[in-house]
């Protein structure tokens, strides 16, 4: 749950059929408060420069329409920015009962994109020499199997081998039944202590939410402040993200869509609505909320490294391929990587999000939607389909 399953285990299928996306709304002029950045795209010799013109927007609209229909999500919002030109589009409904259309300004639960913020806060401590990447876990959180071998780097890079607490059947069943139920991070640690490691630290790259719960606890020990406070004050505020927050309450900021939960057979009619979610359940692995404006800006900060030293930013972007990945997809220090693509996706009951940037093309793709299980990332499938259509060498 609350993880990036879609990037790793789904097969990316492009549907490039004829027809425009008639129900989308093109807001590529200037309807958002933050102006599109200007930049110069670096194009490799022999490559065709992508321009966000009418033909490209139509192509993207077709891909979106197909992906949206396949996903079953009630609503979706999309932003694509290429070389300073922006295309904003929404489809579907924010609320199926009232019929309110999905709005790009709506706040959403960004789930595992939270990990990019947690990792940044941890790496800032490394820059300040208050923490070292080679520090072992047992120094901060004792009693975890292999804790004397697992390093901070292993936790950041998804290479610790620690059991993923969200895979525990009892936790998963209880969380879906009542996402707002009482929960504290130490309960996740208890689950980790009760399970054997999945592999020897450093030998594989396998996605696990446990790594980022532990990093949150380490943040608190080193700073003597709450993890949410550290992330909000030392990451969100310096990045000038006004719609992003590490929440203290189970409610979403307004405006926001209703989140919906599909079953194994898909969405019911009407779909089951998801209400409040206890932020401690996902905590530093997936509790944060944001909106499209900020996700676009954060993708740039994350990929360009303005909050870290140049040395540590290079460490963050260096990635190791996911175990079993069929494409060149892997994990750095708190970022997903696919070739030159930098970003992350997320899934939590009611919401699916994806945020990707290709720095050398000055291209950013943000897709958010209000329908998801804890592991379905339909927005990631849509975003990567768009990227593959425009930059096919990047999704291979």
């Amino acid at each position: 749950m609350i993880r990036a399953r879609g990037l790793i285990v789904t097969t990316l299928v492009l549907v490039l059929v004829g027809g425009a996306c008639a129900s989308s709304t093109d807001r590529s002029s200037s309807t958002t408060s933050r102006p599109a950045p200007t930049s110069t795209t670096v194009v490799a010799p022999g490559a065709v420069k992508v321009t966000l013109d009418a033909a490209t927007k139509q192509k993207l609209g077709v891909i979106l329409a197909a992906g949206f229909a396949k996903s079953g999500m009630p609503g979706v919002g999309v932003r694509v920015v290429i070389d300073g030109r922006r295309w904003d589009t929404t489809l579907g409904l924010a609320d199926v009962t009232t019929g309110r259309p999905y709005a790009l300004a709506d706040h959403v639960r960004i789930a595992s994109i939270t990990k990019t913020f947690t990792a940044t806060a941890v790496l800032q401590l490394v820059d300040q020499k208050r923490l070292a990447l080679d520090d072992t876990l047992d120094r901060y959180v004792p009693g975890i199997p292999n804790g004397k071998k697992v390093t901070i780097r292993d936790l950041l890079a998804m290479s610790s081998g620690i059991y993923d607490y969200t895979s525990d059947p009892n936790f998963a069943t209880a969380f879906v039944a009542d996402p707002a139920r009482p929960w504290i991070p130490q309960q996740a640690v208890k689950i980790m202590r009760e399970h054997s490691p999945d592999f020897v630290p450093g030998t594989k790259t396998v996605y696990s939410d446990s790594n980022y719960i532990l990093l949150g606890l380490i943040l608190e020990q080193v700073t003597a402040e709450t993890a949410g406070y550290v992330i909000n004050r030392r990451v969100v505020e310096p990045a000038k993200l006004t719609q992003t927050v590490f929440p203290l309450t189970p409610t979403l900021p307004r405006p926001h869509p209703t989140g919906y939960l599909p079953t194994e057979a898909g969405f019911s009619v009407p779909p089951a609505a998801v209400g409040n979610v206890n932020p401690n359940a996902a905590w530093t692995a997936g509790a944060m909320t944001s909106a499209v404006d900020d996700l676009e800006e954060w993708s740039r900060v994350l990929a360009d490294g303005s909050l870290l030293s140049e040395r540590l930013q290079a460490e963050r972007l260096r990635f190791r391929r996911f175990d079993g990945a069929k494409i060149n997809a892997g994990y750095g220090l708190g970022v997903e990587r696919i070739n030159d693509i930098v970003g992350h996706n997320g899934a939590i009951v009611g919401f699916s999000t994806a945020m990707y940037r290709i720095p050398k093309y000055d291209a950013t793709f943000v897709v958010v939607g209000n329908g998801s299980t804890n592991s379905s990332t339909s927005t990631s499938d849509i975003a990567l389909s768009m990227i593959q259509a425009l930059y096919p060498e990047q999704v291979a």
Side-chain angles (χ1 to χ4, degrees), residues 101-122:
Y102 200 97
L104 210 68
D106 281 348
H107 292 82
V108 296
R109 301 190 190 281
I110 61 173
S112 283
I113 293 178
T114 300
K115 293 179 176 68
T116 63
F117 290 89
T118 301
T120 299
V122 170

Side-chain angles (χ1 to χ4, degrees), residues 185-209:
Q186 286 74 15
Q187 289 174 268
V189 174
K190 182 176 183 293
I191 293 174
M192 298 175 211
R193 287 176 174 149
E194 293 172 346
H195 290 269
S196 300
D198 292 332
F199 54 87
V200 175
T203 61
K204 295 181 180 181
T205 302
V206 178
Y207 199 92
S208 171
D209 291 300

Side-chain angles (χ1 to χ4, degrees), residues 267-278:
F267 288 92
S268 59
V269 181
V274 178
N276 292 339
V277 176
N278 182 351

Side-chain angles (χ1 to χ4, degrees), residues 23 25 71 108 121 123 126 131 139 157 159 180 184-185 189 204 214 224 245 263 286 299 305 336 343 359 366 370:
S23 57
T25 303
S71 74
V108 296
L123 291 171
V126 175
L131 194 64
R139 177 175 173 180
S159 59
I184 57 174
V189 174
K204 295 181 180 181
L214 294 168
V245 67
T263 65
S299 73
E336 293 172 3
V366 177
N370 62 335

Side-chain angles (χ1 to χ4, degrees), residues 3-78:
R3 64 187 63 191
R5 289 290 192 199
L7 175 65
I8 308 165
V9 300
T10 61
T11 302
L12 185 61
V13 179
L14 269 183
V15 184
L16 295 176
V17 296
C21 182
S23 57
S24 67
T25 303
D26 186 351
R27 301 186 184 88
S28 56
S29 53
S30 59
T31 61
T32 53
S33 57
R34 182 175 291 140
T38 57
S39 180
T40 301
T41 302
V42 178
V43 181
V48 177
K49 181 177 179 178
V50 175
T51 302
L52 197 52
D53 55 17
T56 300
K57 292 174 186 177
Q58 182 177 16
K59 177 186 289 187
L60 294 175
V62 170
I63 294 168
L64 171 60
F68 178 59
K70 182 180 178 181
S71 74
M73 293 186 295
V76 66
V78 174

